Amino acid sequence: MSDSNHYHTLDVSPKATPSEIKQAYRRLAKRFHPDSKSETADPEKIIQVNAAYEVLGDPTRRRSYDQQLQYFYPQTEFQNRQQRTAKAQQHYQRHRQRARNADAQLNEWLHEVYEPVNRLISRILNPLDAQLDDLSADPFDDELMEEFQAYLEECRHYLNQAQLTFRSQPNPPTVAGVAASLYYCLNQLGDGIEDLSLFTLNYDDHYLHTGQELFRIAASLRYEAKDAVRDIAY
């Protein structure tokens, strides 16, 4: 590691908690962001701050950084998503092998998996526009930002419930298309929540727009699932 390490950049102790690191990052991002209209705005400094948080904000990368490995190969966001997809697909294939009565399994899956997951997705997607409208009044207002962050925490909670419910049962082969749409919908929501969360930390509009687009894709996948279900008799 160089003398000017990531802990120095964020002005935190090497023993700082994840919460302390996030708070320090948000404080510095707000101080140095070029759009903050502050005398402390510094584009070069914000680059250093972002780079430090990318490492210290991720538990795996922070552990590697703390161990001062000679070579460090961080996984890209795309690789992380590929791994999640591969693990979910393996889980899905294992469960599909279970022999169950086709009609009973279909009924059970629609009522105990599809319907509750669809309701949880609605709780994530439906409030987004209103939340963004409120935040747009002044993104740098701490109270407005805290309300938006609270919404994102609720989204994480609903997403976790939806993922657990989705994985609770193998889907019948007749609804493979529905299950695939729901699966990718949940993935897009997860990635969208993370991008929107990054916006709350560094006020970079790129993350805001990306998060909105991922939510839009998730909504489209949700409608694909609903259309497919209409063709299936309960």
Side-chain angles (χ1 to χ4, degrees):
M1 293 182 182
S2 64
D3 292 336
S4 179
N5 64 42
H6 295 322
Y7 290 104
H8 294 164
T9 298
L10 295 185
D11 192 23
V12 295
S13 165
K15 296 183 180 180
T17 66
S19 177
E20 290 171 339
I21 289 174
K22 181 181 289 188
Q23 290 175 359
Y25 173 58
R26 184 168 180 235
R27 172 175 52 81
L28 294 173
K30 188 173 182 179
R31 178 188 301 173
F32 297 119
H33 197 284
D35 296 335
S36 67
K37 298 181 181 179
S38 169
E39 294 180 358
T40 59
D42 187 336
E44 294 299 324
K45 186 67 175 179
I46 198 64
I47 291 175
Q48 297 174 16
V49 169
N50 285 339
Y53 186 72
E54 285 181 5
V55 174
L56 300 186
D58 182 288
T60 301
R61 295 178 67 176
R62 183 182 179 185
R63 282 195 296 271
S64 298
Y65 186 75
D66 288 344
Q67 292 168 2
Q68 300 186 34
L69 296 178
Q70 185 176 4
Y71 298 100
F72 178 63
Y73 297 98
Q75 291 186 323
T76 64
E77 180 182 358
F78 176 73
Q79 289 172 321
N80 286 332
R81 292 180 186 178
Q82 277 191 319
Q83 286 187 349
R84 291 198 302 271
T85 299
K87 289 179 181 179
Q89 287 175 334
Q90 291 171 5
H91 180 84
Y92 170 76
Q93 290 299 330
R94 285 196 300 269
H95 281 288
R96 280 198 62 182
Q97 302 307 311
R98 297 178 181 177
R100 301 176 63 184
N101 179 275
D103 290 338
Q105 185 184 15
L106 173 61
N107 236 352
E108 183 178 356
W109 189 86
L110 288 172
H111 289 289
E112 297 186 16
V113 177
Y114 171 77
E115 292 177 354
V117 167
N118 190 50
R119 286 194 295 269
L120 290 164
I121 290 172
S122 296
R123 293 181 181 180
I124 297 172
L125 289 173
N126 292 349
L128 178 64
D129 289 342
Q131 290 288 336
L132 290 176
D133 285 344
D134 291 342
L135 184 63
S136 66
D138 184 0
F140 291 98
D141 182 277
D142 288 338
E143 290 186 4
L144 291 177
M145 185 59 77
E146 286 174 4
E147 290 178 3
F148 188 68
Q149 287 175 319
Y151 158 67
L152 292 179
E153 282 303 312
E154 287 186 346
C155 288
R156 289 191 181 93
H157 172 69
Y158 293 141
L159 178 62
N160 183 60
Q161 285 186 309
Q163 289 171 329
L164 289 174
T165 302
F166 181 76
R167 295 169 184 163
S168 65
Q169 294 185 25
N171 66 270
T174 52
V175 292
V178 178
S181 293
L182 282 183
Y183 168 73
Y184 288 114
C185 174
L186 295 176
N187 274 0
Q188 295 297 316
L189 287 175
D191 293 328
I193 291 169
E194 291 310 311
D195 276 307
L196 292 174
S197 296
L198 285 172
F199 169 73
T200 69
L201 296 173
N202 61 21
Y203 303 92
D204 188 335
D205 285 344
H206 166 75
Y207 293 111
L208 177 63
H209 298 321
T210 301
Q212 287 178 281
E213 177 61 12
L214 290 169
F215 269 47
R216 186 194 67 77
I217 295 172
S220 178
L221 288 165
R222 179 194 173 206
Y223 283 121
E224 288 182 10
K226 291 177 70 174
D227 288 340
V229 166
R230 290 193 188 100
D231 297 329
I232 301 171
Y234 279 78

